[in-house]
Amino acid sequence: AYALNNQGFYLLQQGRCLFADKQYKLAYEKFFQLASQPTPNDGTEWSGKAKADNWFYAARSLELAGGDSLQVIALIDSAISQCQKPYDQAAAQFFLERGQRYHRINELRKAVNDYNVYENTVGPANLGAEFYYLREQAELGSRMYQQALDDIQSAILRTPNDLGLQIEQAIVLLRAGLYKQCVEYCQKLLQMHNDLADIYKIKGIAHGELKQKQQAVACLTKAKELGDDTADSYIQKLSLIHI
């Protein structure tokens, strides 16, 4: 059909068929060809949304074909460039996708910026714990401690019984240097779960930072008894410090 009448729709269908058949490199070539075509002058101009979708199809195909991460991000950039402000939810998805790829290559502040656009467009009421945990991880890696603390608390509000998120909040408090708050929070968790090696270790490290050697060793010893293989190294370090 495309050979007889080279309309973009037929090229799009080729790309979709190749993608469904997992021939990702060939699919990428079709989507890229379609997305990079000059705007026709015959009244068949593609909408901005359609152009954005084509760039994203090209990005996804290249990624699945094992293409370069930066090139994949550049293709998503092209998709975003077709989106008009104020962004709608379809455009917001491109920012989320690009943010996740920045996250993977450790461009964490760029990831956070894209996550912020996504949140502002979609609205916090429409987002779950997974998103806030995702952004918290990027913020923590960027040493954006207050933002990380806010986001892990937002995640916990959405899933209050998720113990993993609660442990993550203790980690954020520790990494942020809020040692007293960390000790208090860990103590609260241990009142409900007294067999958490991770929390004993975090609490022990926080006590150590507060120059409370006896409490630190007690907590770390408990963590070791509960099976934490790394607690002993912290105990050894404390034994060399005169507090």
Side-chain angles (χ1 to χ4, degrees), residues 118 123-134 151 154-155 158-159:
Y118 180 74
N126 298 310
L127 294 170
E130 288 185 3
F131 169 78
Y132 286 102
Y133 174 75
L134 178 69
D151 273 348
S154 293
R158 286 161 172 78
T159 52

Side-chain angles (χ1 to χ4, degrees), residues 82-109:
Q82 298 295 325
C83 301
Q84 302 296 318
K85 293 182 179 180
Y87 296 123
D88 59 16
Q89 295 213 7
Q93 188 64 32
F94 296 140
F95 281 96
L96 178 62
E97 296 283 351
R98 187 175 68 178
Q100 289 174 317
R101 284 153 183 82
Y102 275 136
H103 202 151
R104 290 173 195 165
I105 64 172
N106 215 36
E107 291 278 1
L108 299 179
R109 287 186 177 267

